[in-house]
Amino acid sequence: MQRLWEAEEEIHIDAAPETLYDMVADVAAMGRWSPECFRVWVHRPPVLAGAGFVGFNRKGPWVWFTWCRVERAERGQAFVFRVSTFGLPVARWGYRFAADGHGTRVTEHWTDLRTGRGARVTELLGLVFTGTRPRLRGTRNRAGMRTTLERLKQAAEG
């Protein structure tokens, strides 16, 4: 299996782009949508571009935290944040919102940033903390994105 460095999933949700953006940008609620992130700590809400937050994650017996910084926060359009651990880049996660008929097409995307200087350290940390080998990370993240988007859809349409 070839390693994926980027992945994305999309879904149509019968809700306005601004409503869905508000749900995703409320990072403290991410534990409701994500199968991996169970809690988020925000120092100074609301989370706008440049703001930071800490994500607490779990997969089976593994638990870890990451430091996140919002790169883009455009209501109804996009919410993107960069993830690091111990000061080393890990990934970029984001959501795009596009009006689509009577609802919105929501795209969740991920880019692995474990390249260049420090990549070997972050690869090792990723394996130790998540129990996932680098070549399986993209596939696992896509499955998690599908779960996240389905949960978001259920909450928005429910």
Side-chain angles (χ1 to χ4, degrees):
M1 171 182 286
Q2 188 176 12
R3 179 175 177 174
L4 296 175
W5 292 90
E6 297 181 325
E8 66 178 46
E9 290 289 327
E10 67 180 34
I11 194 169
H12 180 274
I13 301 176
D14 290 330
E18 294 79 13
T19 300
L20 296 165
Y21 172 91
D22 292 346
M23 292 172 75
V24 169
D26 178 10
V27 294
M30 188 54 72
R32 288 187 274 180
W33 326 129
S34 173
E36 190 172 275
C37 177
F38 66 88
R39 185 168 186 272
V40 171
W41 177 79
V42 180
H43 180 63
R44 287 193 180 108
V47 179
L48 305 171
F53 60 94
V54 179
F56 296 89
N57 307 288
R58 178 183 312 132
K59 178 187 170 226
W62 291 280
V63 177
W64 69 98
F65 69 92
T66 56
W67 174 252
C68 306
R69 181 157 310 278
V70 177
E71 291 185 336
R72 189 171 170 202
E74 298 173 25
R75 189 167 187 260
Q77 295 179 31
F79 184 77
V80 180
F81 58 95
R82 189 180 191 95
V83 178
S84 63
T85 189
F86 302 108
L88 298 169
V90 173
R92 178 177 291 112
W93 285 89
Y95 298 85
R96 292 187 299 269
F97 308 91
D100 184 25
H102 295 298
T104 303
R105 184 176 16 75
V106 181
T107 304
E108 183 175 4
H109 56 92
W110 163 83
T111 303
D112 193 335
L113 300 178
R114 295 173 189 97
T115 62
R117 196 163 189 252
R120 288 187 184 197
V121 173
T122 53
E123 290 294 356
L124 179 60
L125 290 171
L127 178 60
V128 169
F129 290 127
T130 71
T132 302
R133 297 190 180 286
R135 66 182 171 78
L136 301 175
R137 188 174 293 117
T139 302
R140 186 177 133 244
N141 285 348
R142 285 189 77 186
M145 287 183 223
R146 286 189 293 273
T147 299
T148 298
L149 293 172
E150 283 295 334
R151 289 176 178 172
L152 188 66
K153 179 181 178 78
Q154 288 174 0
E157 294 179 352

